[in-house]
Amino acid sequence: MLDLHLPDGDVTPVLKALHARQAPTVVGGGDLPEKVRAWHPELVVLRKPALPGPLVAEILRTRGKDV
């Protein structure tokens, strides 16, 4: 689970590293920057505050488990 809007840095390098490892990733925050959307069109962004139900469902989906 990555937060898109951290006050101390850019999550893009971490997102790229996770994607290169084909690691399931859930993103939280606001709008996905266009450059990130172009690299990772499959990402779903959960708006903050994410409710527990949708958050758990998205984590399970990215891991390939039935919800």
Side-chain angles (χ1 to χ4, degrees):
M1 174 76 191
L2 292 178
D3 189 329
L4 286 174
H5 303 289
L6 298 176
D8 61 346
D10 180 13
V11 300
T12 305
V14 176
L15 187 56
K16 283 183 177 182
L18 290 170
H19 187 72
R21 291 174 178 82
Q22 298 180 344
T25 306
V26 176
V27 178
D31 294 326
L32 196 59
E34 287 301 317
K35 68 177 183 175
V36 176
R37 173 63 63 203
W39 295 327
H40 309 285
E42 76 288 351
L43 282 177
V44 173
V45 178
L46 299 176
R47 297 211 179 268
K48 291 195 258 181
L51 297 174
L55 176 59
V56 170
E58 188 61 22
I59 290 170
L60 292 173
R61 185 193 67 76
T62 61
R63 295 193 57 185
K65 304 198 179 220
D66 290 331
V67 181

